[in-house]
Amino acid sequence: MLTTLEIENFRCIEAARLELDLQGTGILGANASGKTSLLEAIYFLGLGRSFRTTVREKLVREGAEYFRVVGRIRTQRGDVTAGIEYRDGTTRARLAGQDVAGMSEVAEALPIQIIDPGVHRLVEEGSARRRRLLDWGVFHVEHDFLGVWRRYQRGLKQRNAALRAGAEARLVGVWEQELVDCAGRLDEARRRYVERLRPYFEEVTRALLGAPANLGYQRGWAGDESLAEALERVRARDDKLRTTTVGPHRADLTFRLGSSLARDRVSRGQQKMLAAALILAQIQVRATLPGEPTCLLLDDPAAELDGENLGKLLGVIRQTPAQLVVTSVSEAGLRGIPIGRVFHVEQGRFRAVE
Ligand SMILES: Nc1ncnc2c1ncn2[C@@H]1O[C@H](COP(=O)(O)OP(=O)(O)OP(=O)(O)O)[C@@H](O)[C@H]1O
Ligand SMILES: [Mg+2]
């Protein structure tokens, strides 16, 4: 859990220091005051990327040369400091006084999820967001998952490069054994995780949508063949498209309400409820396992929801063990959320409300 946060030159925030509440912190401010920027800074600290842009330069405050986010994290093994800085096109992360290469150590100490007004895209858009969320859950359960996933990505890159170069079949095939080796392990880990997640997802969707939604998992290639067979079968097509069209990098989650796929028949508000259900169910699973609790960022939770649905969502959030950081344009927007401390933000400056 995040106890103290220091931000320099991140978006409109020139300098800020906040003591966060272990249960819930409210952030109140007008439009364009810096509320989402604060959540984005926390997210960047934990995950090394933004949920709004892939262009890091945009995160640097106008006229500044770098940004830095430092957080004091309370873990079960004691307090540690994590920091991340971006300058001259390079991002450097530190944990407990040591440089860290990937973000996985920080992510382990500070698991983060966000429900924001764009969360419905999880249901509406392509599989990449769903896969990333799925893998967030798997990563926090199975610690060797990340290593296998990285090996797979390297192999995939090589096979795609060979396809693009128009290499002969033998050279393309060299990378396939590596893909096949990793794919089985990725698939099994994801499958085990989805099994674990399913009852939680059904329970949460029952509470949010009135009936349990079914969670499906597609591994990224046909069920009746091995990946080796699938790769061979699509070789001609992959040659033409110059990319690998089957494998765990195409895995997906599906949601069914009754007999139809949710994304074909739900409204925007329901999409938000369904997406939030997936995130909250994952946080609940996380909380049953060893490891640190999740810090859940809620950006304007009332957006898109009527009073009844907002009430249901907040009801489930209250039952989900997480440290909350919640933004709203008005005090009414924080009602019903367990908040121990509130800040007002104006033009990127934060002031604790007594
Ligand atoms: N790199 C940057 N440097 C300076 N200001 C920036 C930068 N990037 C964004 N901003 C500004 O930061 C301000 C705050 O944006 P932010 O999205 O945090 O507002 P918000 O409080 O979440 O507003 P809303 O209630 O509309 O969602 C905006 O005016 C935006 O233009
Ligand atoms: Mg905002």
Side-chain angles (χ1 to χ4, degrees):
M1 289 187 280
L2 201 52
T3 53
T4 309
L5 185 67
E6 283 175 48
I7 302 173
E8 279 171 68
N9 295 326
F10 193 95
R11 297 269 194 196
C12 63
I13 305 168
E14 183 176 355
R17 188 171 191 285
L18 286 77
E19 305 278 339
L20 300 182
D21 189 77
L22 293 180
Q23 253 212 316
T25 303
I27 309 291
L28 289 174
N31 292 138
S33 56
K35 302 182 298 299
T36 304
S37 302
L38 177 83
L39 300 187
E40 197 178 18
I42 296 174
Y43 192 94
F44 201 93
L45 174 66
L47 289 153
R49 58 185 164 84
S50 159
F51 54 85
R52 290 205 280 194
T53 179
T54 53
V55 185
R56 293 187 177 176
E57 215 49 56
K58 289 190 192 167
L59 304 174
V60 180
R61 190 175 63 89
E62 234 162 71
E65 281 169 356
Y66 70 95
F67 71 74
R68 182 183 302 138
V69 185
V70 177
R72 189 84 183 142
I73 302 169
R74 180 155 304 164
T75 75
Q76 285 152 11
R77 281 178 290 175
D79 287 8
V80 285
T81 300
I84 194 155
E85 183 180 290
Y86 173 85
R87 170 193 303 268
D88 300 329
T90 313
T91 309
R92 281 181 52 213
R94 286 171 76 79
L95 183 67
Q98 308 258 314
D99 285 330
V100 288
M103 286 304 292
S104 59
E105 290 166 57
V106 181
E108 232 174 279
L110 185 64
I112 289 184
Q113 275 302 333
I114 180 163
I115 297 176
D116 73 348
V119 76
H120 65 274
R121 286 181 292 175
L122 199 57
V123 178
E124 194 179 56
E125 289 185 359
S127 59
R129 286 175 190 276
R130 291 184 290 278
R131 207 163 38 243
R132 185 176 272 177
L133 183 58
L134 166 67
D135 287 347
W136 177 86
V138 184
F139 162 76
H140 281 289
V141 181
E142 302 204 20
H143 289 289
D144 53 356
F145 180 80
L146 185 65
V148 183
W149 186 88
R150 285 192 177 135
R151 259 181 63 202
Y152 179 84
Q153 292 298 327
R154 261 197 307 274
L156 182 64
K157 240 191 199 156
Q158 301 287 358
R159 184 179 189 266
N160 286 341
L163 287 168
R164 273 198 304 278
E168 53 185 287
R170 188 179 51 81
L171 282 176
V172 174
V174 166
W175 300 106
E176 291 180 359
Q177 191 50 50
E178 177 79 348
L179 296 187
V180 168
D181 282 350
C182 298
R185 293 165 66 186
L186 295 179
D187 175 43
E188 276 161 36
R190 284 169 169 168
R191 194 177 296 274
R192 272 195 299 274
Y193 177 72
V194 171
E195 293 296 313
R196 208 193 272 269
L197 176 62
R198 190 169 285 126
Y200 290 87
F201 181 70
E202 287 177 359
E203 199 51 44
V204 175
T205 48
R206 190 200 308 276
L208 295 188
L209 295 157
N214 178 275
L215 180 66
Y217 163 68
Q218 292 169 350
R219 62 178 179 169
W221 70 100
D224 54 357
E225 56 188 2
S226 68
L227 182 61
E229 288 165 343
L231 285 168
E232 195 175 317
R233 185 172 53 76
V234 300
R235 174 68 69 70
R237 180 174 80 191
D238 282 5
D239 257 334
K240 201 151 74 204
L241 297 172
R242 299 186 176 241
T243 191
T244 304
T245 55
V246 291
H249 62 293
R250 292 291 174 97
D252 201 358
L253 294 173
T254 58
F255 317 112
R256 270 176 195 283
L257 289 164
S259 59
S260 41
L261 275 180
R263 78 148 164 270
D264 299 332
R265 66 167 247 203
V266 301
S267 72
R268 174 59 66 86
Q270 285 176 312
Q271 284 181 351
K272 175 167 178 172
M273 296 292 265
L274 197 57
L278 184 64
I279 292 168
L280 291 167
Q282 290 201 222
I283 295 173
Q284 292 181 357
V285 169
R286 171 92 281 288
T288 65
L289 299 162
E292 305 302 329
T294 306
C295 178
L296 174 58
L297 311 175
L298 294 170
D299 198 8
D300 190 9
E304 302 276 2
L305 299 181
D306 59 31
E308 190 183 334
N309 277 325
L310 179 61
K312 288 178 182 169
L313 180 64
L314 297 184
V316 174
I317 288 172
R318 279 196 298 271
Q319 288 165 14
T320 302
Q323 180 186 25
L324 303 174
V325 185
V326 191
T327 76
S328 176
V329 289
S330 71
E331 263 167 62
L334 300 181
R335 223 169 272 152
I337 306 175
I339 298 283
R341 178 170 293 174
V342 176
F343 291 88
H344 258 286
V345 54
E346 225 173 292
Q347 293 178 354
R349 281 189 289 274
F350 294 80
R351 181 172 50 82
V353 177
E354 297 308 326

